[in-house]
Amino acid sequence: MRPFTYERADSVDDAVALHGEQTRYLGGGTNLVDLMRLGVEQPDRLVDVTRLPYDQITVAPDGGLLIGATVRNSDLAVSWSVRQTHPLLSQAVLAGASGQIRNQATVGGNLLQRTRCSYFQDITKPCNKRDPGSGCPARKGENHNMAIFGHSTACVATHPSDMAVALAALDASVHVHSREGKRVLPLSDFYRFPKDDPSRDTVLKPGELITEVEVPPLGMPSSYRKVRERASFAFALVSIAGALKVEDGVVQDCRIALGGVAHKPWRAHRAEEMLRGVAATKENYLRAADAELESAHPLRENGYKIPLARNLIVRTMLSLGEGA
Amino acid sequence: MTSLERVEARDKVTGRARYAFEYPVEGAAYLMGVQAAVGRAEIASVDHEAALALPGVLAVLSCENAPEIAEVDDPELLVFQSRKVSYRGQFVAAVVAETWETAQEAARLVRITYADERRPDVRLSADHPGLYEPEEANGGFPAVSELGDPDAAFATAAVQIDATYTTPAQHNNPMEPHATVAAWEGDDLTVYDSNQGASTVQGTLAKIFKLEPAQVRVVSPHVGGGFGSKGTPRPNVVLAAMAARAAGRPVKLAVTRQQMFATTGYRTPTIQRVRLGADADGRLTAILHEVVSQSSTLREFAEQAAVPSRVMYRASNRRTAHRLTRLDVPTPSWMRAPGETPGMFALESAMDELAYTLGVDPVELRVRNEPERDPEQDIPFSSRNLVACLRKGAEHFGWADRDPTPAIRRRGRKLVGTGVAAATYPANRMPNKATARADADGTFTIRIAAADIGTGSRTALTLVAAETLKADPAQVTVELGDSALPRASLAGGSTGTASWSTAVVRACEALLDELDGEIPPEGVEATADTAEEIKSEPEYSRHAFGAHFAEAEVDIDTGEVRIPRMFGVFAAGRIISPTTAHSQFVGGMVMGIGMALMEQSVMDAEFGDYLTHDLAQYHVPACADVADVQATWIDEEDQHLNPMGVKGIGEIGIVGAAAAVANAVHHATGVRVRDLPITPAHLLPDF
Ligand SMILES: Cc1cc2nc3c(=O)[nH]c(=O)nc-3n(C[C@H](O)[C@H](O)[C@H](O)COP(=O)(O)OP(=O)(O)OC[C@H]3O[C@@H](n4cnc5c(N)ncnc54)[C@H](O)[C@@H]3O)c2cc1C
Ligand code: SF4
């Protein structure tokens, strides 16, 4: 392990001032420290942000949430208000990692966790995300859990966060601070597609610190479901965050975001548009799912994700509709 | 036999039980291995400079400067003796430093240049041009066996099954990674090492470093699992001893989880063609089981996957055969029930296919084909209670009500099915020595260099000694896991308890003979050696048997498979320690669930290494995957085994378990998955 310095920030100003060229903010460290051990991350300074005063979940009068970036994943998942108003968010967090990791992991760190692509994690191999220009062995190699949407010749990786998929469905936005001040980024624009520069997962500029995540009120039944090869402690093959409002048999509103299928949480805008205002029937769900999946481009080994995503969309909408 | 809690349980849960890496050794430095980053090449040069320049680095070892060591059978152990890279991830250099972190960083600074780099040949296929028939398969079995005219019998059989099954490479992944602490004192070497047999490691180290065995001491009282991967010494133990000598200091080496995927063995992938011919009643007329597997270019290891088909069922025409090819991969090795585990997945899946084709109940089909004598060797079984296991399991599991029709049962959005498969594992014994000692205070001490790798052997041997001595187990202490103790065989091939307990019983009997009246202050000691006894065993076919019953739930929307219940019944001789035996059976079954549904090491065809590098990628069952898994046994009295009448239980629990799951998945869905593991990707396209 390379030597590095460790600093603890007490305020946002402190944190952003301490941030230099090879600095990383340290949340729970459950991803960053692993990557440092593997040699993937080689910071010379860690700025611990877990003592910043952003460890609260605030419920707005309208039912919206303001979630501090240092709130531990476990605390977010068990929060009574979150479970009441945004159950899909609680379910998504609980579907991730293990109890021990969730106790340690923070909301900010969860959003910025890196892909689980095994080439990315092995510094003896090429990878455009880790080492720009070196190539993407996953595209023709082992890709059974890679992206089916929005990948490029440069990178076919997926974003691994469950929480982010729920936040994408919720139209959340991310508050970030830097020396230049504060900005608010809608989650839909927060993550990037790999295009020709997969080294950047998000639009964050160097040194920008996540302080809060803002979640508008939802007001309809919602759920999160994750498909994986074992019953817990595994990343998603495909996951779905869904919400549905049906009145008189007609879809008033709906949200569908898929995980495990793209470089970012995949908001199924096309399917949502097709569903708003039509009858809440299996046929319509199926038609919407198929339309959404038309733009999918499976790789050699991950074609199964298409029927899987389709089934998940249909089943999630059906069960949310039944609950209504 | 009386039940006894694991004798070292308290030490383990309080952290007092020491594992290899934890031994405090004064002045110890840390050792980190450097792995080849190519799959097939010659090492042109190794540049140590940058690593040595890092403060705290004490030494760098590689083919450029490594001392010569003596040849042994396993070339994997001949570290840095050649410039050839045989597989990606092979240890090609090592760094000794003041701290583990420095060693790790310095390891990245060792610059290796390769010459003659070629694309590694790493993909096993049934038509690989390098396939050949080895002389023997692992365990010393003939590679091929044939009786009657299997081809003709199969061709003319009323009912035929001809199917190919594959199992992927799997890594043992014991909880405790391989680790060694090595310290020299002059020409005497002490290693604290995580292994399945201290005497074996001692013998190998003595050979490699040209020492007398008495100059080498291997200390391994507690070992956090092995599953076969610690059955043979691994490069870590040689590296540690070599580096400690070079650095002039004791060194500590912990193989990282990532490194284990290349350097500590694994189960070969297999491709198995099984053909079964039967008459209209399901009586087998032909059994053909042909296996293709891989080994490295360094050493031949032929997984004996067709061997269980030599004992399972009656049929007058039969052939079993093994072929393998030598690839640019690490040498595969033992993993819990090598041979039986992949082999019985194939055979027991094929039996299920036959039952389904014939419309005969799969339990009944097995009973119908029960042989009276060992069907290939034509000798009697010492005992064989497969039918009793099947019957008991069927009754307990509620098999009688089972409708064999696949894909008709639903539980919400899940398809439900049940499956059965049989299990078998040989009951062998190895020669051992042991001493038994009585002290004036009424306590007894048993000494034997046996291993307790978490299986409970310390507990079992305590009970064995207490019973033989007619003493209270609390009066008996078993010392094991140290090569300074009387020489013992390793914990492998489910031979441990049978072999060690023979020596312990004989030593205790000898002690009883010597004890008369008062025990003198210096105590009384007796020693036994079982070499002669074992040589003169009468001819019997000795095997444990068992039956697994599994229920599978398959999600209709996602293809996710979960196992709500599983029940295993085993006939494995006498069960000495019910508590720890139960854990062994259940543990094996759980590992079988893992094999069926998730365990898989993925070979990268371009780079030539196993991509799965940690336990986040290499999935084993989590608690949530293990619902209601139960095991029980049949009290079996077998006079033809050993004084305790035991057969060994460490491996049979996994054998056949994956087939029971796969058969349950078929019953649930109507989809026959012949390629493990059974993932949603396999099932979804069919839904
Ligand atoms: C074995 C394993 C299994 C897992 N399974 C899952 C799973 O199934 N689903 C899932 O969603 N996740 C899973 N995870 C990932 C886990 O959720 C993340 O590791 C965790 O959420 C990261 O949070 P952290 O606070 O520990 O982040 P850290 O490791 O501390 O940081 C991660 C990144 O975020 C940056 N960072 C942290 N905080 C901030 C901030 N406030 N502002 C700006 N940058 C910041 C760091 O610099 C770093 O680059 C798993 C992890 C492991 C180890
Ligand atoms: S998919 Fe992306 S992360 Fe994986 S190897 Fe290719 S570039 Fe690297």
Side-chain angles (χ1 to χ4, degrees):
Chain A
M1 188 174 284
R2 291 204 335 181
F4 58 86
T5 58
Y6 168 90
E7 321 260 0
R8 185 187 289 154
D10 296 320
S11 68
V12 170
D13 289 345
D14 219 17
V16 297
L18 283 166
H19 200 284
E21 201 171 325
Q22 289 303 317
T23 304
R24 289 283 181 275
Y25 293 127
L26 178 69
T30 58
N31 187 228
L32 180 57
V33 175
D34 274 3
L35 292 175
M36 287 168 67
R37 289 208 182 99
L38 293 170
V40 175
E41 290 276 10
Q42 305 207 330
D44 57 23
R45 177 185 288 172
L46 293 183
V47 175
D48 185 341
V49 297
T50 56
R51 303 289 172 95
L52 297 182
Y54 289 100
D55 59 349
Q56 298 295 321
I57 303 167
T58 321
V59 186
D62 67 355
L65 305 169
L66 198 60
I67 305 164
T70 68
V71 169
R72 306 284 173 176
N73 286 188
S74 299
D75 294 332
L76 175 60
V78 301
S79 154
W80 179 247
S81 356
V82 174
R83 284 157 62 197
Q84 289 302 102
T85 58
H86 300 79
L88 80 173
L89 180 55
S90 169
Q91 290 164 14
V93 173
L94 282 180
S98 67
Q100 295 88 335
I101 291 172
R102 292 192 298 270
N103 285 344
Q104 181 74 9
T106 62
V107 166
N110 189 318
L111 285 174
L112 294 185
Q113 60 175 302
R114 311 296 312 268
T115 184
R116 308 303 292 199
C117 171
S118 52
Y119 301 96
F120 172 76
Q121 294 180 348
D122 181 351
I123 58 168
T124 67
K125 293 183 183 148
C127 164
N128 285 329
K129 189 180 274 302
R130 175 173 32 78
D131 182 9
S134 60
C136 172
R139 210 164 64 85
K140 296 236 157 68
E142 158 59 23
N143 52 34
H144 105 279
N145 203 13
M146 297 293 174
I148 54 172
F149 289 116
H151 49 75
S152 68
T153 51
C155 180
V156 295
T158 57
H159 195 269
S161 168
D162 290 296
M163 184 188 76
V165 179
L167 291 176
L170 289 169
D171 286 329
S173 50
V174 183
H175 295 205
V176 302
H177 279 81
S178 68
R179 282 179 220 167
E180 279 78 59
K182 179 180 171 179
R183 53 180 191 141
V184 177
L185 301 162
L187 198 91
S188 50
D189 302 334
F190 182 75
Y191 293 107
R192 296 178 64 252
F193 284 115
K195 299 189 185 139
D196 56 2
D197 181 13
S199 68
R200 288 166 55 228
D201 296 348
T202 67
V203 300
L204 282 186
K205 295 184 197 132
E208 276 186 317
L209 174 75
I210 300 176
T211 52
E212 278 156 315
V213 175
E214 189 180 334
V215 184
L218 181 62
M220 53 182 149
S222 68
S223 69
Y224 187 78
R225 179 157 183 204
K226 177 178 183 180
V227 177
R228 43 190 158 177
E229 284 163 6
R230 65 176 166 185
S232 90
F233 208 13
F235 289 92
L237 299 173
V238 177
S239 67
I240 180 166
L244 180 71
K245 188 175 193 175
V246 178
E247 262 167 37
D248 302 330
V250 174
V251 176
Q252 302 297 314
D253 195 4
C254 71
R255 309 279 177 82
I256 301 169
L258 300 174
V261 294
H263 200 252
K264 59 192 266 184
W266 182 264
R267 184 72 183 266
H269 289 296
R270 176 127 196 244
E272 288 181 13
E273 269 159 38
M274 283 179 63
L275 287 178
R276 284 193 192 101
V278 304
T281 61
K282 188 173 177 184
E283 292 64 39
N284 282 335
Y285 298 144
L286 199 52
R287 211 169 294 139
D290 282 336
E292 187 66 45
L293 287 157
E294 257 169 37
S295 60
H297 292 283
L299 306 163
R300 194 184 63 235
E301 292 172 348
N302 68 3
Y304 72 95
K305 288 193 176 188
I306 291 181
L308 184 48
R310 185 207 305 118
N311 294 354
L312 278 178
I313 293 173
V314 173
R315 182 54 40 195
T316 300
M317 291 297 114
L318 280 172
S319 21
L320 286 172
E322 277 163 21
Chain B
M1 189 154 241
T2 45
S3 190
L4 182 66
E5 76 170 24
R6 192 182 287 268
V7 292
E8 75 284 7
R10 196 166 293 270
D11 284 347
K12 281 185 170 162
V13 299
T14 56
R16 218 175 305 140
R18 243 182 213 144
Y19 291 81
F21 195 76
E22 300 172 332
Y23 276 85
V25 176
E26 204 163 322
Y30 293 82
L31 177 63
M32 183 76 184
V34 181
Q35 297 176 277
V38 298
R40 181 174 170 182
E42 292 287 320
I43 297 174
S45 68
V46 184
D47 183 353
H48 299 182
E49 286 313 309
L52 283 169
L54 199 69
V57 173
L58 301 168
V60 178
L61 285 163
S62 73
C63 60
E64 302 286 2
N65 64 347
E68 204 187 303
I69 52 178
E71 296 249 336
V72 282
D73 294 345
D74 183 359
E76 293 272 7
L77 299 179
L78 303 177
V79 289
F80 314 153
Q81 303 298 296
S82 144
R83 288 185 171 267
K84 186 169 175 257
V85 173
S86 303
Y87 55 88
R88 192 181 177 103
Q90 189 174 18
F91 283 130
V92 287
V95 178
V96 188
E98 293 289 354
T99 67
W100 193 82
E101 288 74 13
T102 308
Q104 193 189 30
E105 180 60 19
R108 286 192 193 121
L109 299 174
V110 175
R111 223 145 269 132
I112 304 168
T113 38
Y114 299 98
D116 197 19
E117 193 183 331
R118 273 180 282 170
R119 194 191 166 98
D121 177 12
V122 292
R123 218 177 238 164
L124 180 66
S125 63
D127 56 359
H128 191 280
L131 284 172
Y132 69 97
E133 189 184 294
E135 277 192 9
E136 284 191 344
N138 175 52
F141 296 99
V144 176
S145 72
E146 189 160 322
L147 275 178
D149 189 345
D151 293 301
F154 177 75
T156 55
V159 185
Q160 300 169 334
I161 296 295
D162 180 354
T164 298
Y165 305 88
T166 67
T167 60
Q170 293 152 353
H171 279 79
N172 315 54
N173 274 312
M175 188 86 90
E176 180 203 19
H178 295 60
T180 311
V181 178
W184 290 87
E185 222 171 284
D187 277 336
D188 290 345
L189 171 65
T190 302
V191 300
Y192 304 92
D193 182 57
S194 182
N195 62 64
Q196 293 176 222
S199 302
T200 311
V201 175
Q202 177 196 38
T204 306
L205 284 175
K207 253 190 228 153
I208 287 183
F209 292 100
K210 301 182 195 126
L211 304 167
E212 290 303 315
Q215 291 174 278
V216 180
R217 180 156 175 216
V218 179
V219 183
S220 325
H222 298 290
V223 175
F227 302 124
S229 72
K230 296 173 183 168
T232 55
R234 294 289 169 191
N236 55 286
V237 67
V238 182
L239 258 178
M242 182 189 274
R245 194 172 236 182
R249 282 177 55 174
V251 301
K252 290 188 163 204
L253 167 58
V255 179
T256 66
R257 185 66 67 183
Q258 282 80 8
Q259 291 174 336
M260 285 174 73
F261 284 84
T263 63
T264 58
Y266 63 102
R267 196 197 298 286
T268 173
T270 67
I271 303 169
Q272 308 179 52
R273 182 176 183 201
V274 178
R275 279 173 284 172
L276 300 178
D279 67 18
D281 294 332
R283 290 199 168 70
L284 288 165
T285 53
I287 301 173
L288 296 91
H289 190 168
E290 289 149 323
V291 178
V292 164
S293 68
Q294 74 187 31
S295 193
S296 69
T297 58
L298 286 170
R299 186 163 76 86
E300 182 178 280
F301 179 89
E303 176 104 6
Q304 72 275 30
V307 164
S309 290
R310 295 177 187 170
V311 293
M312 280 307 295
Y313 301 113
R314 187 175 50 200
S316 18
N317 305 285
R318 44 208 306 148
R319 174 158 74 237
T320 60
H322 302 84
R323 284 182 306 151
L324 80 159
T325 188
R326 310 289 284 272
L327 303 176
D328 301 313
V329 296
T331 314
S333 182
W334 305 331
M335 177 164 162
R336 206 172 200 171
E340 277 74 14
T341 296
M344 286 292 274
F345 164 66
L347 178 65
E348 291 300 288
S349 295
M351 285 297 279
D352 200 65
E353 299 207 40
L354 180 62
Y356 178 69
T357 308
L358 281 160
V360 173
D361 178 74
V363 169
E364 208 43 51
L365 179 71
R366 288 169 173 86
V367 173
R368 251 174 234 181
N369 287 289
E370 177 72 1
E372 255 127 54
R373 292 159 70 80
D374 182 307
E376 294 217 351
Q377 298 186 71
D378 196 25
I379 53 173
F381 286 104
S382 64
S383 60
R384 175 171 169 130
N385 282 301
L386 172 59
V387 172
C389 291
L390 286 163
R391 296 271 189 243
K392 182 166 176 174
E395 193 189 322
H396 186 280
F397 199 73
W399 190 261
D401 312 329
R402 181 182 188 259
D403 179 340
T405 319
I408 53 165
R409 284 152 302 272
R410 288 273 293 267
R411 203 176 277 155
R413 294 295 298 166
K414 287 177 171 160
L415 291 164
V416 182
T418 51
V420 63
T424 184
Y425 199 78
N428 294 323
R429 259 194 316 169
M430 313 293 279
N432 275 272
K433 289 184 184 158
T435 64
R437 179 186 170 80
D439 277 295
D441 62 1
T443 61
F444 298 93
T445 307
I446 308 298
R447 295 199 169 89
I448 179 165
D452 190 332
I453 59 171
T455 53
S457 47
R458 195 182 264 107
T459 309
L461 294 180
T462 303
L463 288 166
V464 165
E467 182 178 287
T468 315
L469 295 164
K470 301 195 176 49
D472 181 343
Q475 302 296 101
V476 178
T477 303
V478 173
E479 291 180 9
L480 50 68
D482 187 337
S483 67
L485 299 166
R487 186 174 175 79
S489 57
L490 48 86
S494 295
T495 61
T497 306
S499 310
W500 303 325
S501 74
T502 303
V504 169
V505 167
R506 297 303 177 223
C508 290
E509 287 169 352
L511 179 66
L512 289 176
D513 283 347
E514 280 181 37
L515 286 182
D516 72 90
E518 197 99 326
I519 297 167
E522 72 277 13
V524 180
E525 208 166 284
T527 298
D529 183 338
T530 62
E532 287 306 311
E533 174 176 352
I534 284 171
K535 240 186 266 162
S536 53
E537 281 190 331
E539 256 206 309
Y540 281 102
S541 181
R542 297 176 174 85
H543 298 267
F545 290 91
H548 297 275
F549 293 79
E551 180 177 281
E553 275 182 0
V554 184
D555 191 290
I556 295 170
D557 300 304
T558 67
E560 288 166 292
V561 182
R562 304 288 182 251
I563 305 303
R565 70 194 172 109
M566 191 159 178
F567 189 73
V569 186
F570 302 92
R574 186 171 163 206
I575 300 303
I576 304 258
S577 166
T579 313
T580 53
H582 184 261
S583 299
Q584 285 297 304
F585 291 134
V586 168
M589 292 165 72
V590 168
M591 211 162 169
I593 293 177
M595 173 180 178
L597 303 181
M598 61 195 85
E599 276 196 60
Q600 173 177 34
S601 297
V602 179
M603 171 55 72
D604 187 280
E606 187 182 344
F607 296 101
D609 62 347
Y610 286 108
L611 277 173
T612 24
H613 267 163
D614 58 32
L615 294 175
Q617 296 169 341
Y618 186 89
H619 288 169
V620 298
C623 286
D625 293 289
V626 183
D628 176 11
V629 177
Q630 291 187 40
T632 187
W633 49 84
I634 281 167
D635 289 317
E636 200 174 48
E637 261 184 57
D638 187 328
Q639 308 297 332
H640 311 296
L641 295 169
N642 46 60
M644 299 306 298
V646 303
K647 282 182 175 173
I649 51 168
E651 293 168 272
I652 191 164
I654 188 176
V655 178
V661 170
N663 296 340
V665 169
H666 175 262
H667 188 230
T669 63
V671 182
R672 178 70 64 182
V673 181
R674 300 187 180 90
D675 306 296
L676 294 185
I678 306 170
T679 58
H682 270 120
L683 293 169
L684 272 169
D686 293 293
F687 284 6

